[in-house]
Amino acid sequence: MINRLLLGAAVSVIMFTVGVAGLGWKPYVVMSESMAPSMHAGDLIFVDPHATSVSVYEIVTYTDPRGPITHRVISQAADDTLMVQGDANVQPDPAAVDRKHVVGPVRLVLPHAGWPVLQVRTHPVRIAGGALLLALLFPGRRILGLLLLGGLVAAVAMVPTTGATLLSAYTTMRP
């Protein structure tokens, strides 16, 4: 029974991923609370890089020297730059975002679906220790289990993330 449930979940995830990949959307995992309550750390978002326009009040992902950032467009200037702000931030981002740095608008948010990525990125030693403990507790096929678990952790770690680090997201917020 458990094997069938796991197989069904795996097939569902694969079918969903193939469907979203067919649309060309890029997945990102939210790493901060700067967009709360719209999205939270650990949410999986899908961004449409093929969108031709972006509207005010739309949530977009853009590139920044800190990495990809996902915030809401609050205004658009005559020179086509965007002013953006995290929903949880009192102040807008300090610099306007040039259109060429916009990856695209957020099309889909899956709450908590990026939680494994968040855990691997924020607690890698804890995850590795837990994997080692599981391998020691279940001795049958240890090497195969370790290889599969290591591959899973590596795959999870490769999913791109968006948002500043948890600490810097909170420092931009004002009480």
Side-chain angles (χ1 to χ4, degrees):
M1 178 68 143
I2 292 176
N3 287 340
R4 287 183 184 171
L5 286 173
L6 289 174
L7 179 63
V11 168
S12 297
V13 167
I14 290 168
M15 295 300 289
F16 178 77
T17 304
V18 168
V20 169
L23 293 172
W25 294 353
K26 292 183 172 185
Y28 291 90
V29 174
V30 177
M31 296 296 287
S32 76
E33 290 291 328
S34 69
M35 281 302 295
S38 300
M39 55 186 72
H40 298 278
D43 289 354
L44 178 63
I45 62 172
F46 290 91
V47 175
D48 182 2
H50 305 295
T52 56
S53 65
V54 175
S55 303
V56 174
Y57 302 116
E58 196 165 22
I59 299 173
V60 298
T61 297
Y62 65 94
T63 57
D64 182 84
R66 300 170 288 175
I69 304 290
T70 299
H71 281 165
R72 187 177 304 277
V73 176
I74 58 171
S75 67
Q76 183 172 350
D79 64 353
D80 215 24
T81 59
L82 306 172
M83 286 303 300
V84 294
Q85 178 177 350
D87 288 356
N89 298 348
V90 175
Q91 303 272 337
D93 291 6
V97 177
D98 192 319
R99 267 303 241 255
K100 68 182 178 187
H101 293 123
V102 174
V103 177
V106 174
R107 295 294 190 211
L108 179 65
V109 178
L110 297 177
H112 313 294
W115 183 82
V117 174
L118 179 68
Q119 296 306 309
V120 168
R121 294 284 174 96
T122 57
H123 307 295
V125 174
R126 187 182 300 166
I127 298 298
L132 183 59
L133 182 63
L134 283 174
L136 293 173
L137 290 175
F138 299 103
R141 300 185 183 126
R142 247 187 233 165
I143 300 298
L144 179 61
L146 282 173
L147 288 174
L148 288 174
L149 196 53
L152 179 63
V153 169
V156 164
M158 287 190 284
V159 174
T161 58
T162 181
T165 62
L166 293 172
L167 180 61
S168 64
Y170 288 113
T171 58
T172 61
M173 296 168 58
R174 304 287 187 255

